[in-house]
Amino acid sequence: MEIFQHVDTWVALLTLTFLEIVLGIDNIIFISITAGKLPQHKVKKATNIGLLLALLFRVLLLLGVSYLIAMKDPILNVNLSWFKAGISVQSLILLGGGLFLLFKSTHEIHLKVEGIEEKEAKDNKLQSSMMMVVIQIVLIDLVFSFDSVLTAVGMTNGVEGALTIMIIAVVISIIIMMIFATAVGNFVNRNPTIQMLALSFLILIGFMLVTESAHLSNAIIFGRDVGAIPKGYLYFAITFSLGVEALNMKIRKKK
């Protein structure tokens, strides 16, 4: 294809693929923790189903990108003395996803801190079904896909053959994630401290989605505009925390 004869195309493709992988880490963590509740022989299957659904959602959203962009238009205007906002479909999806992540992560942390999960596992009274896990993965896939596609559209704006580049980048990133997802999931589920750290990251991401929803709605609360949290800050905090935990794991291993 002619577009791949230009250096700009390859730069855009490589950059976007890298960003899609970085953005997909959140998705992998959630899928790993959710699929980890299944019997061991079903974990890989659930993980692959989750990532394939993520690929499907991303491609469908990219093909309907014009409708996606139109979702920025407000469908409801709220004008109260202390709160003003133009609520759009985009902001509602991000708000729903953020609240779902906050609830799910907080609930999982509560189970682990109270030791409820271990008791239930011993008594065999509760076991997540494949359908329940897949439904949760579908819900969060939709939110992460939405965020991923918006990033892709912004990155390739004005680049020739942008849709082709975005679809190729998404497919490559999902394939790479499928290759490493099982290993990442096993590592997270095998190490309780890493799992707790991952759940804490999901709370941060949920909070970020809520603030981004308010930002997209141009929300004004008590006379102050709500700004979006830069993703760079979030990923720096995650990387720093993982670095500290890696040192802790090394010390524990020596002891």
Side-chain angles (χ1 to χ4, degrees), residues 92-109:
L92 286 175
I93 291 174
L94 292 178
L95 177 63
L99 292 175
F100 176 71
L101 267 184
L102 287 171
F103 167 77
K104 181 66 178 175
S105 305
T106 305
H107 179 65
E108 291 293 329
I109 289 174

Side-chain angles (χ1 to χ4, degrees), residues 155-191:
M155 277 289 301
T156 56
N157 187 30
V159 178
E160 186 181 352
L163 182 60
T164 303
I165 293 170
M166 287 188 289
I167 291 175
I168 291 173
V170 164
V171 171
I172 292 172
S173 64
I174 293 293
I175 290 172
I176 291 172
M177 284 190 281
M178 287 182 76
I179 292 170
F180 294 103
T182 303
V184 171
N186 290 337
F187 178 73
V188 169
N189 289 314
R190 194 169 56 243
N191 295 278

Side-chain angles (χ1 to χ4, degrees), residues 218-234:
N218 297 312
I220 300 175
I221 302 176
F222 295 112
R224 292 182 177 274
D225 294 328
V226 179
I229 299 173
K231 289 184 174 67
Y233 293 167
L234 183 67

Side-chain angles (χ1 to χ4, degrees), residues 64-81:
V65 71
S66 58
Y67 296 102
L68 187 66
I69 292 171
M71 288 181 181
K72 285 184 178 179
D73 299 330
I75 57 171
L76 176 66
N77 288 300
V78 180
N79 193 351
L80 303 175
S81 58

Side-chain angles (χ1 to χ4, degrees), residues 46-254:
T47 302
N48 287 337
I49 288 173
L51 289 172
L52 285 173
L53 287 170
L55 173 60
L56 178 64
F57 283 137
R58 280 163 168 76
V59 172
L60 288 176
L61 286 171
L62 284 171
L63 292 174
V65 71
S66 58
Y67 296 102
L68 187 66
I69 292 171
M71 288 181 181
K72 285 184 178 179
D73 299 330
I75 57 171
L76 176 66
N77 288 300
V78 180
N79 193 351
L80 303 175
S81 58
W82 61 276
F83 177 73
K84 296 179 182 179
I87 300 170
S88 64
V89 176
Q90 276 191 17
S91 62
L92 286 175
I93 291 174
L94 292 178
L95 177 63
L99 292 175
F100 176 71
L101 267 184
L102 287 171
F103 167 77
K104 181 66 178 175
S105 305
T106 305
H107 179 65
E108 291 293 329
I109 289 174
H110 170 71
L111 292 179
K112 293 182 187 307
V113 169
E114 296 296 327
I116 297 171
E117 196 174 59
E118 285 78 3
K119 293 175 186 176
E120 288 171 341
K122 288 177 183 177
D123 297 338
N124 289 321
K125 290 180 180 177
L126 181 66
Q127 188 177 55
S128 295
S129 67
M130 176 70 80
M131 182 61 70
M132 190 188 302
V133 168
V134 168
I135 288 172
Q136 290 184 54
I137 289 172
V138 166
L139 289 173
I140 210 63
D141 269 347
L142 182 60
V143 177
F144 282 136
S145 296
F146 200 83
D147 196 35
S148 170
V149 169
L150 289 176
T151 301
V153 171
M155 277 289 301
T156 56
N157 187 30
V159 178
E160 186 181 352
L163 182 60
T164 303
I165 293 170
M166 287 188 289
I167 291 175
I168 291 173
V170 164
V171 171
I172 292 172
S173 64
I174 293 293
I175 290 172
I176 291 172
M177 284 190 281
M178 287 182 76
I179 292 170
F180 294 103
T182 303
V184 171
N186 290 337
F187 178 73
V188 169
N189 289 314
R190 194 169 56 243
N191 295 278
T193 54
I194 290 292
Q195 194 173 59
M196 192 62 71
L197 200 57
L199 287 168
S200 302
F201 294 160
L202 290 177
I203 289 178
L204 277 177
I205 293 162
F207 180 71
M208 182 197 72
L209 289 174
V210 171
T211 57
E212 195 167 335
S213 168
H215 177 66
L216 285 175
S217 300
N218 297 312
I220 300 175
I221 302 176
F222 295 112
R224 292 182 177 274
D225 294 328
V226 179
I229 299 173
K231 289 184 174 67
Y233 293 167
L234 183 67
Y235 289 119
F236 172 78
I238 290 173
T239 304
F240 181 79
S241 301
L242 283 174
V244 173
E245 183 56 29
L247 292 173
N248 286 332
M249 289 176 70
K250 193 170 182 180
I251 291 171
R252 286 197 295 269
K253 190 175 180 182
K254 283 185 177 181

